[in-house]
Amino acid sequence: MIMSSTSIMNKEEYTSTCGGSNSKNKWECLKKWIHCICVVAFDLELGQAIEAIYPPHIKLSEQERSNVCYLAFPDSNSGCMGDTQYHVRIRQSGNNSQENSTLKNYDKNAPIFLRSDAYHYWGYVYFRQVKDRTLPRGYFQKSVIVISKLPFVNFFTEVVALIAPKFFEMGNSAMEAIVNEIANWPSPVPGDVINLPLMGVLFQTYIPNHYRKLSVSDVASNSTNPRKESDRLLVLTSVYEDNIFQSLAVVVTHIHLLWELVLLAEPIVVMASSPTMCSKMVQALTAMITPLKYNADHRPYFTIHDSEFKEYTTDTQNPPAVILGVTNPFFAKTLQHWPHIVRINDTEYSENFKHRIKKSENLKILDSKPGVYTEYKPFLQKDKAIIKKLLRGIQTKRPGEAQTILLRRHLIELTESFMIPLERYIASLMPLQKNISPFKATPIPNLFEQEEFLSTLSSSGPQLTSGIKGDWVGLYRRFFKSPNFSGWFHTRYAELSQKIEAIHLETLSQADLTTWVQGKQEVELVDMILRIRQKLQKSHEYDVPVGHSVQDMLRERINDITRTLPDDLKIILNHNS
């Protein structure tokens, strides 16, 4: 399956390219943006095979290499001629799924939906297929695929569109220069406008942080111009999303139905005629619930050769929570039991695009007729005003960017209306500050009681911020069973626990321990010292939000207690510190 290439540099050659003894640092810098770049070609004997990996010391497991090879080429039934771009998501092998320390600082400040993926790679594919009589098969078929931990779909789509043609034209030397330039980029910093030079182009873009998002005009007004005169400036107003209306236009009358299916992490298969179309649609679907992170699996492009094929297609009664984008007509039969199927032929709105109830007699038309096939009954009513506004925009040829802004604002408001009551309730699980004692164990957040939460909706539910009517309670009950709820809850619960730990540490740092030690046995004093040390260590390991001043005061509290101990105990404690 996997072909080696004589064009691959060995590690020593690459060391000299990257600056001798500093090459290790350069590789670490590179990992902040990309894991590697793979070139996949078609070999008559082996089929799709990896021709080169840059930088060459990067090792992929056999399963990862196989998935990269198959995903780097459109399915044979797609008939893609010329240049084709799309993106994929690849599961990491178990031995490679450890946390990447170089991205840890980025993840601390990035919105949860833009954090690096601990268990998957993103792959950004540029495939070229053109006639070439000089080759045995009569065709040139090759892909460049950028592998990254970052979900910067819009940004890396532009990057691979720049570097792949350069590589096809110039070969190995071009890719060595590209990898070197990326290794010299500054770290991705949420909240900053960043400037990234590459092959004569200066990419200028913005990475949002927890607190604030910039608009299109903000990025323009914040723009500096540090480029060389020869560089072309390319401003990207978003690293992660493109014109989502372009993808969702075909389902514009069904956006509320699809929003519910995505919110509840229902199994969805998107069937399209090209990998570009299906990967964009899958990406647009998962983005419908932003700023809530889509916590279930999703594969913007999926083939029958994928290592998870059996995992996703074997259970005909209970398909997994995943959104699959496919082009092979084989899936129309293989996945006909799936509860929700979106069939698209193009990306333009059509009056013929229907919402069809998925019954057995409909299955024979799945190969050809576009539509949403489902038996799902939405909990909420449609917002007819926004649909009417978007349809009018299509008729009057309103620019796609303006349509995207309208649609994005509506979906964010809908998601936030749904999430605000949950955020308000989970904040109430925080124990009262007066109950956090420096001389007792750190309390834990109160339990999330689903029925208690539901009882609050009549007075402080989504109706306060959304005009959409329907069975909100029923939607919440269904949401509680989804991976999107469990993912959100575990993240927020962990943040709440860290906040309590920080308050407890601050309370402890201000406690009068010189009074507390009076009358205490030595074992109690030693126990308190060890507890404070352990808390300091945990605060460092788990990034508990405490300042340096609190940490310094805690060390003072340790000294306060230590002074009261016999010399032999002091020596033992100092030795073990």
Side-chain angles (χ1 to χ4, degrees):
M1 169 62 201
I2 308 302
M3 177 173 66
S4 298
S5 171
T6 55
S7 69
I8 300 179
M9 297 177 287
N10 63 39
K11 190 166 181 177
E12 287 70 31
E13 290 171 327
Y14 188 78
T15 298
S16 60
T17 308
C18 285
S21 60
N22 293 323
S23 63
K24 184 177 180 182
N25 292 335
K26 221 160 197 185
W27 291 332
E28 288 303 308
C29 291
L30 187 72
K31 283 183 181 178
K32 292 177 183 178
W33 288 98
I34 67 170
H35 182 68
C36 64
I37 301 174
C38 295
V39 177
V40 180
F42 191 89
D43 180 81
L44 279 176
E45 294 181 3
L46 302 170
Q48 287 145 233
I50 291 181
E51 181 179 275
I53 298 178
Y54 304 88
H57 71 279
I58 294 296
K59 303 297 181 187
L60 298 174
S61 71
E62 282 304 309
Q63 181 174 297
E64 289 165 350
R65 290 172 71 93
S66 175
N67 282 334
V68 166
C69 284
Y70 284 118
L71 290 169
F73 277 34
D75 191 283
S76 57
N77 290 282
S78 302
C80 295
M81 289 297 291
D83 292 355
T84 304
Q85 278 194 258
Y86 54 98
H87 65 280
V88 298
R89 201 159 163 266
I90 304 164
R91 185 183 292 177
Q92 286 185 243
S93 296
N95 60 338
N96 279 342
S97 61
Q98 67 271 23
E99 185 184 57
N100 187 336
S101 59
T102 58
L103 290 170
K104 195 173 180 183
N105 286 332
Y106 164 79
D107 285 336
K108 280 185 201 173
N109 300 304
I112 188 167
F113 63 90
L114 273 187
R115 290 176 188 168
S116 62
D117 194 322
Y119 301 104
H120 294 85
Y121 293 120
W122 291 85
Y124 304 96
V125 181
Y126 192 105
F127 169 72
R128 176 169 289 181
Q129 177 172 270
V130 291
K131 289 184 178 179
D132 188 336
R133 292 181 180 177
T134 65
L135 297 175
R137 298 182 79 231
Y139 287 96
F140 173 91
Q141 292 174 303
K142 193 169 284 192
S143 272
V144 172
I145 175 167
V146 175
I147 308 290
S148 175
K149 300 291 287 180
L150 296 168
F152 293 174
V153 176
N154 194 36
F155 171 68
F156 280 116
T157 295
E158 294 289 346
V159 167
V160 76
L162 173 67
I163 67 175
K166 291 277 188 186
F167 170 75
F168 294 144
E169 178 188 348
M170 300 170 61
N172 189 54
S173 60
M175 199 62 78
E176 291 172 25
I178 287 163
V179 169
N180 274 320
E181 268 199 282
I182 296 174
N184 285 314
W185 284 355
S187 299
V189 179
D192 281 4
V193 172
I194 50 176
N195 297 283
L196 307 170
L198 185 64
M199 304 296 284
V201 174
L202 183 71
F203 290 93
Q204 191 170 80
T205 189
Y206 168 74
I207 304 172
N209 59 17
H210 283 302
Y211 312 105
R212 167 169 186 254
K213 292 184 181 178
L214 294 183
S215 66
V216 174
S217 58
D218 287 326
V219 173
S221 64
N222 275 276
S223 294
T224 54
N225 197 356
R227 72 186 191 277
K228 305 171 191 170
E229 285 188 15
S230 58
D231 283 348
R232 175 170 64 90
L233 179 64
L234 181 58
V235 177
L236 301 176
T237 54
S238 172
V239 289
Y240 63 97
E241 68 178 10
D242 195 5
N243 181 352
I244 65 164
F245 184 77
Q246 185 182 40
S247 297
L248 295 176
V250 291
V251 292
V252 67
T253 54
H254 313 303
I255 55 173
H256 298 94
L257 163 68
L258 290 167
W259 177 83
E260 285 192 28
L261 294 180
V262 174
L263 179 75
L264 302 175
E266 285 285 306
I268 303 172
V269 58
V270 174
M271 298 182 179
S273 55
S274 76
T276 306
M277 207 181 298
C278 70
S279 66
K280 283 189 172 184
M281 176 61 86
V282 172
Q283 188 66 22
L285 288 174
T286 60
M288 290 183 86
I289 61 171
T290 303
L292 179 65
K293 180 183 179 182
Y294 182 75
N295 276 288
D297 198 0
H298 57 290
R299 301 304 169 93
Y301 187 53
F302 188 74
T303 77
I304 58 174
H305 302 291
D306 196 286
S307 57
E308 282 85 62
F309 176 78
K310 287 185 179 179
E311 178 183 331
Y312 290 150
T313 58
T314 301
D315 192 341
T316 58
Q317 299 301 314
N318 298 294
V322 63
I323 303 178
L324 299 180
V326 302
T327 58
N328 194 324
F330 174 78
F331 283 106
K333 182 176 181 181
T334 308
L335 301 180
Q336 64 181 348
H337 57 278
W338 275 44
H340 320 291
I341 298 173
V342 179
R343 184 73 174 88
I344 53 176
N345 286 342
D346 54 48
T347 53
E348 297 294 328
Y349 172 74
S350 169
E351 293 290 342
N352 296 323
F353 196 96
K354 302 296 183 183
H355 167 205
R356 296 181 171 87
I357 299 299
K358 185 175 177 290
K359 296 178 180 175
S360 56
E361 59 266 26
N362 291 131
L363 299 180
K364 61 181 179 292
I365 64 174
L366 286 178
D367 280 335
S368 56
K369 290 196 177 181
V372 177
Y373 295 81
T374 181
E375 293 181 1
Y376 177 83
K377 183 179 179 183
F379 288 93
L380 306 180
Q381 298 172 12
K382 288 183 179 181
D383 184 331
K384 294 181 180 177
I386 186 65
I387 294 174
K388 187 176 180 181
K389 193 179 291 186
L390 291 166
L391 289 174
R392 192 184 306 122
I394 293 172
Q395 293 163 0
T396 58
K397 301 192 184 307
R398 183 187 292 140
E401 294 81 2
Q403 291 280 78
T404 286
I405 290 169
L406 278 174
L407 179 57
R408 163 61 61 220
R409 184 185 301 135
H410 174 73
L411 291 172
I412 287 176
E413 288 173 356
L414 179 57
T415 302
E416 288 183 340
S417 291
F418 183 80
M419 295 305 298
I420 284 170
L422 286 162
E423 292 287 353
R424 187 185 297 121
Y425 179 77
I426 202 166
S428 74
L429 303 182
M430 186 89 170
L432 297 174
Q433 190 153 350
K434 66 180 182 181
N435 295 331
I436 300 177
S437 167
F439 309 117
K440 294 181 180 177
T442 310
I444 60 172
N446 297 320
L447 294 176
F448 189 106
E449 299 286 355
Q450 293 182 8
E451 293 304 318
E452 183 182 51
F453 163 74
L454 294 173
S455 70
T456 68
L457 295 179
S458 57
S459 59
S460 57
Q463 72 277 3
L464 298 180
T465 51
S466 174
I468 293 179
K469 300 187 183 301
D471 182 9
W472 287 96
V473 172
L475 185 60
Y476 281 113
R477 287 191 188 279
R478 187 84 169 259
F479 179 66
F480 290 148
K481 300 174 183 176
S482 77
N484 285 332
F485 170 72
S486 57
W488 167 82
F489 173 74
H490 289 308
T491 299
R492 295 292 286 113
Y493 192 86
E495 290 171 353
L496 212 59
S497 299
Q498 285 190 335
K499 189 175 181 180
I500 295 169
E501 184 68 43
I503 294 172
H504 189 253
L505 283 169
E506 191 171 346
T507 306
L508 188 56
S509 73
Q510 297 168 355
D512 181 8
L513 294 186
T514 54
T515 301
W516 175 81
V517 297
Q518 295 174 15
K520 294 292 188 296
Q521 306 231 347
E522 288 178 2
V523 66
E524 294 176 273
L525 302 179
V526 171
D527 183 58
M528 177 62 88
I529 290 172
L530 295 177
R531 278 172 56 199
I532 297 174
R533 282 182 179 173
Q534 186 182 38
K535 283 179 175 295
L536 277 169
Q537 186 178 351
K538 282 178 67 178
S539 72
H540 177 71
E541 289 176 0
Y542 297 101
D543 299 315
V544 176
V546 291
H548 293 299
S549 60
V550 171
Q551 295 177 18
D552 290 340
M553 290 170 69
L554 285 168
R555 293 185 186 98
E556 279 299 313
R557 300 295 79 78
I558 291 174
N559 292 336
D560 290 342
I561 303 173
T562 305
R563 289 189 196 102
T564 66
L565 294 173
D567 290 341
D568 58 340
L569 266 181
K570 288 180 186 176
I571 294 170
I572 294 171
L573 285 169
N574 288 332
H575 180 71
N576 292 325
S577 63

